[in-house]
Amino acid sequence: SSSPSPTSSTWHQQTSAHRSSPPSAHEHPFYRRQQLKRCLESAGLFVKAATPDAVLEDMIALLASGEPIMAAASKHRDFVKFLKMHRQKLGTFCDCIEDLALLVERANNIVALTGAGVSVSCGIPDFRSASGLYAQIAERFDVPQPESLFDMEFFSIDPQPFYSFAKDIFPDRFTPSPTHMFLKALEDRGKLLRNYTQNIDTLEHVAGIERVIYCHGSFATASCTNCEYHCEGQDLKEDIMNERISYCPSCVRGVMKPDITFFGEALSETFFDNLSRDLPKCDLLIIIGSSLKVRPVCLIPELIDDKVPQVLINMERVGSFGHEYDCTILGPCDATIERLVANLGWPKSCLDGKRQEEVDDRFSLAELRSICALAHEPLRTDEGQEKKKSGKGGEVKRKGAKGVQSKQVAQRAAGEEQRASVLGSAGDG
């Protein structure tokens, strides 16, 4: 059905009802702003991100009076000033890797908006594709609709379907994708302002990304639906893997729920607070692997100033009707990222998918034995003797690994004490 026109009684009822019911005390200003914008959008009007709330209120009041759009515009000098057309491309950017690399190279405050597509190569299906999670849920469970498994009202009635499915998306058995590691590389180079992820798999944390906001929560923590008890998400692992409902150990009656934002729940204050600070600083928006279907996260491209470049790396074109991106690369995101990294001249190793260890991490005794085995020199000593002989508590820096091996190969005829001494001094070499 089409949206009600500004002259219809239905539209007047909607706007009047909206204006007569102020937001509740716990409602975040972000939600209030989006309600005002949606009232205008229902009349076919779109406003700029910088439009003050007071102007939005005045626009709605004028339209609700029953006057035609242009007549209402003529009575408010800011009305036309803040109206916006659909976003147009900036400059002469092309949909190619070279222009994408140029945008990334120029930017210093990148906001990355990521969705399920960045985790598909990790073995986690997306939600809305033909073989995605929703399709699997529809096939396996007798529920009103696939989204019901992530609906708070449905969960409060019957949490068993969620617990029967949760093990398929529990994050501890997955490793980051090249796209995750690319975001980490951006952060390491001081280019990532924030990664807003719609995913709940916490692979951003595994990749070592610190500047991340989990828009829809994650499995990292869990809460009781009846009391205020909180715990680590790992505490629910045994129940989840056995498809068993996890009950609160504190109040006993309440069901434990991972701190995932279900339909019917508000997003966290952390999301809105960071978004309000980050958007004015952003100098490049990169959208990767998202369907941009779920509000309010899908509104981020609309909220950023039109002068800020926007990039889409996705399997298909997404976003509001008529919204243009400055650079669109369609296809698997990992393949696009690999080409981008090559074009930027960054080492391919930054996409390895393994969290980089600190340079001063130490070798364990098992690792030392492996090194000696590679050098064909078995190390016959226990940990205490190794510490005594090394003179440094047996702590050998990782960066000396190659030196350790080469020295031991060259000194095979040396005695046991000499070999241990070489191991102990490797960190200084």
Side-chain angles (χ1 to χ4, degrees), residues 201-383:
D201 50 41
T202 67
L203 287 177
E204 293 78 13
H205 173 73
V206 178
I209 303 170
E210 297 180 0
R211 304 182 69 84
V212 59
I213 298 294
Y214 292 97
C215 304
H216 298 153
S218 73
F219 275 99
T221 56
S223 303
C224 174
T225 56
N226 182 63
C227 68
E228 297 182 353
Y229 180 79
H230 299 279
C231 68
E232 295 295 319
Q234 285 292 326
D235 294 346
L236 275 59
K237 180 178 178 179
E238 182 177 351
D239 286 332
I240 288 176
M241 291 303 170
N242 288 285
E243 302 184 15
R244 183 174 60 226
I245 298 174
S246 183
Y247 289 95
C248 177
S250 179
C251 72
V252 181
R253 295 178 300 172
V255 174
M256 295 300 298
K257 171 186 164 295
D259 288 333
I260 302 166
T261 304
F262 277 18
F263 295 110
E265 292 185 299
L267 272 64
S268 69
E269 295 285 325
T270 301
F271 167 77
F272 294 110
D273 292 341
N274 278 275
L275 194 64
S276 63
R277 289 193 297 266
D278 291 342
L279 294 189
K281 300 177 184 176
C282 175
D283 58 9
L284 176 63
L285 172 67
I286 304 180
I287 302 165
I288 314 177
S290 175
S291 64
L292 291 184
K293 295 287 188 182
V294 181
R295 287 178 179 257
V297 179
C298 68
L299 298 173
I300 290 179
E302 308 290 338
L303 298 175
I304 290 182
D305 191 290
D306 287 342
K307 296 179 182 179
V308 175
Q310 298 189 17
V311 169
L312 176 67
I313 301 173
N314 217 34
M315 290 297 294
E316 58 185 4
R317 297 182 186 276
V318 295
S320 61
F321 177 77
H323 187 97
E324 294 184 355
Y325 300 98
D326 300 294
C327 185
T328 300
I329 308 293
L330 300 182
C333 56
D334 286 346
T336 299
I337 292 302
E338 288 172 357
R339 292 166 56 203
L340 173 59
V341 166
N343 202 276
L344 287 167
W346 296 357
K348 189 177 180 180
S349 59
C350 71
L351 304 180
D352 281 348
K354 295 181 179 180
R355 187 169 181 170
Q356 299 297 315
E357 302 290 344
E358 298 295 332
V359 294
D360 61 344
D361 279 353
R362 313 304 191 204
F363 282 117
S364 65
L365 181 61
E367 289 172 317
L368 287 173
R369 284 174 173 150
S370 297
I371 291 173
C372 291
L374 289 172
H376 306 289
E377 289 291 336
L379 178 64
R380 293 181 292 274
T381 178
D382 59 26
E383 189 171 0

Side-chain angles (χ1 to χ4, degrees), residues 50-337:
T51 306
D53 290 348
V55 174
L56 294 176
E57 293 275 11
D58 289 343
M59 289 179 179
I60 290 173
L62 287 169
L63 289 174
S65 67
E67 295 187 65
I69 293 176
M70 293 311 298
S74 66
K75 292 184 178 181
H76 199 300
R77 57 184 172 182
D78 285 334
F79 197 92
V80 177
K81 175 182 175 182
F82 288 105
L83 286 178
K84 65 177 277 188
M85 301 298 290
H86 294 300
R87 185 186 187 278
Q88 304 295 311
K89 291 184 70 168
L90 302 174
T92 57
F93 295 108
C94 298
D95 297 336
C96 62
I97 289 294
E98 291 76 16
D99 280 9
L100 175 56
L102 180 63
L103 287 167
V104 172
E105 189 66 38
R106 289 178 176 177
N108 293 306
N109 288 295
I110 298 174
V111 169
L113 171 56
T114 55
V118 304
S119 297
V120 169
S121 65
C122 307
I124 305 174
D126 62 13
F127 278 85
R128 291 177 170 81
S129 68
S131 58
L133 292 176
Y134 284 156
Q136 295 178 28
I137 292 171
E139 183 177 343
R140 292 171 51 188
F141 299 96
D142 182 18
V143 292
Q145 53 188 8
E147 292 87 347
S148 298
L149 257 69
F150 304 98
D151 183 276
M152 195 59 215
E153 184 176 358
F154 185 85
F155 182 86
S156 63
I157 297 172
D158 184 10
Q160 184 59 62
F162 172 80
Y163 270 94
S164 297
F165 183 74
K167 69 177 183 181
D168 292 344
I169 55 175
F170 197 73
D172 69 338
R173 58 192 183 95
F174 302 104
T175 56
S177 68
T179 303
H180 289 112
M181 300 312 300
F182 168 70
L183 297 174
K184 174 58 177 172
L186 286 177
E187 183 179 59
D188 290 343
R189 287 161 175 78
K191 287 180 170 290
L192 183 67
L193 177 60
R194 201 81 59 197
N195 174 201
Y196 288 88
T197 179
Q198 297 170 276
N199 299 334
I200 58 177
D201 50 41
T202 67
L203 287 177
E204 293 78 13
H205 173 73
V206 178
I209 303 170
E210 297 180 0
R211 304 182 69 84
V212 59
I213 298 294
Y214 292 97
C215 304
H216 298 153
S218 73
F219 275 99
T221 56
S223 303
C224 174
T225 56
N226 182 63
C227 68
E228 297 182 353
Y229 180 79
H230 299 279
C231 68
E232 295 295 319
Q234 285 292 326
D235 294 346
L236 275 59
K237 180 178 178 179
E238 182 177 351
D239 286 332
I240 288 176
M241 291 303 170
N242 288 285
E243 302 184 15
R244 183 174 60 226
I245 298 174
S246 183
Y247 289 95
C248 177
S250 179
C251 72
V252 181
R253 295 178 300 172
V255 174
M256 295 300 298
K257 171 186 164 295
D259 288 333
I260 302 166
T261 304
F262 277 18
F263 295 110
E265 292 185 299
L267 272 64
S268 69
E269 295 285 325
T270 301
F271 167 77
F272 294 110
D273 292 341
N274 278 275
L275 194 64
S276 63
R277 289 193 297 266
D278 291 342
L279 294 189
K281 300 177 184 176
C282 175
D283 58 9
L284 176 63
L285 172 67
I286 304 180
I287 302 165
I288 314 177
S290 175
S291 64
L292 291 184
K293 295 287 188 182
V294 181
R295 287 178 179 257
V297 179
C298 68
L299 298 173
I300 290 179
E302 308 290 338
L303 298 175
I304 290 182
D305 191 290
D306 287 342
K307 296 179 182 179
V308 175
Q310 298 189 17
V311 169
L312 176 67
I313 301 173
N314 217 34
M315 290 297 294
E316 58 185 4
R317 297 182 186 276
V318 295
S320 61
F321 177 77
H323 187 97
E324 294 184 355
Y325 300 98
D326 300 294
C327 185
T328 300
I329 308 293
L330 300 182
C333 56
D334 286 346
T336 299
I337 292 302

Side-chain angles (χ1 to χ4, degrees), residues 33-66:
R33 182 175 181 80
Q34 297 315 310
Q35 289 173 355
L36 295 173
K37 291 181 69 176
R38 281 198 291 273
C39 282
L40 291 171
E41 289 171 4
S42 69
L45 300 178
F46 297 86
V47 294
K48 296 179 181 178
T51 306
D53 290 348
V55 174
L56 294 176
E57 293 275 11
D58 289 343
M59 289 179 179
I60 290 173
L62 287 169
L63 289 174
S65 67

Side-chain angles (χ1 to χ4, degrees), residues 370-422:
S370 297
I371 291 173
C372 291
L374 289 172
H376 306 289
E377 289 291 336
L379 178 64
R380 293 181 292 274
T381 178
D382 59 26
E383 189 171 0
Q385 291 174 325
E386 176 196 320
K387 290 182 178 180
K388 181 177 178 181
K389 293 176 181 179
S390 67
K392 294 191 177 183
E395 297 180 344
V396 181
K397 293 186 177 180
R398 289 185 183 276
K399 65 183 181 181
K402 293 182 179 179
V404 170
Q405 295 179 33
S406 61
K407 288 180 180 179
Q408 287 190 326
V409 170
Q411 299 180 15
R412 289 183 182 179
E416 190 68 26
E417 186 172 347
Q418 184 178 4
R419 286 196 299 272
S421 178
V422 171

